[in-house]
Amino acid sequence: MTLPRIAFALPLVLAAGTAFAAPGAHFIENWDLDSDGQVTLAEAEERRGDVFYTFDANEDGFIDGEEYKLFDEARANDMANEPGHGQGKGQGGIKNAEGGMHLAFNDTDGDGKVSRDEFVTRTKDWIAMMDRNTDGIVTSDDFGRQ
């Protein structure tokens, strides 16, 4: 995987609150394509497609075990830099955002690798995991304390 591909992906991978006061603000900033303060299903599907291509290093149409290790490491590094990481307070939306990126969540056919179709198709369920008020979009209100 080339450095430019990783550099592009890191802000997208799980951007969820690093240098911002509002819970989930970094996630919203990076996944909200039209800058209206909300992440729609269409926006999330487009971004997840970008993330997929970034981590499919050998461009075979799958994120396999080795590529998923790099993906996991990038997400772990991103989460480690989050304010309050590991404190378990008000992190519901952020933890749900992270959970929706795991191999087990996205490998719908259980073959140990994730196709772009699997990854993008799971976007609806991923949005639902973060969408506390079930309005079909994710805003900063869906993050933080319940």
Side-chain angles (χ1 to χ4, degrees):
M1 181 177 308
T2 64
L3 185 56
R5 286 178 75 178
I6 292 174
F8 168 75
L10 288 178
L12 301 177
V13 170
L14 222 257
T18 48
F20 300 89
H26 195 55
F27 172 86
I28 301 298
E29 179 180 282
N30 284 286
W31 290 78
D32 175 16
L33 300 180
D34 62 6
S35 301
D36 66 354
Q38 57 188 15
V39 177
T40 64
L41 176 60
E43 289 171 320
E45 286 174 337
E46 183 174 335
R47 281 290 195 218
R48 280 175 66 102
D50 294 341
V51 168
F52 178 87
Y53 285 130
T54 299
F55 287 95
D56 179 16
N58 63 6
E59 300 179 1
D60 68 349
F62 296 94
I63 301 177
D64 61 27
E66 287 303 310
E67 292 163 332
Y68 232 101
K69 285 180 187 177
L70 293 173
F71 187 30
D72 290 343
E73 289 172 13
R75 290 192 330 275
N77 289 336
D78 188 53
M79 292 297 291
N81 292 322
E82 270 205 50
H85 174 69
Q87 294 178 8
K89 297 178 182 176
Q91 299 285 326
I94 294 168
K95 286 183 180 180
N96 289 338
E98 160 47 20
M101 293 294 189
H102 287 209
L103 174 65
F105 179 82
N106 292 296
D107 183 14
T108 58
D109 63 9
D111 66 356
K113 58 187 178 183
V114 176
S115 70
R116 184 179 187 281
D117 184 57
E118 285 175 303
F119 197 69
V120 173
T121 299
R122 291 295 282 166
T123 306
K124 184 176 182 178
D125 298 320
W126 182 59
I127 290 291
M129 290 168 58
M130 293 180 277
D131 182 18
R132 288 185 181 165
N133 65 0
T134 65
D135 63 356
I137 58 172
V138 177
T139 67
S140 60
D141 292 340
D142 293 307
F143 293 89
R145 296 189 187 274
Q146 292 185 337

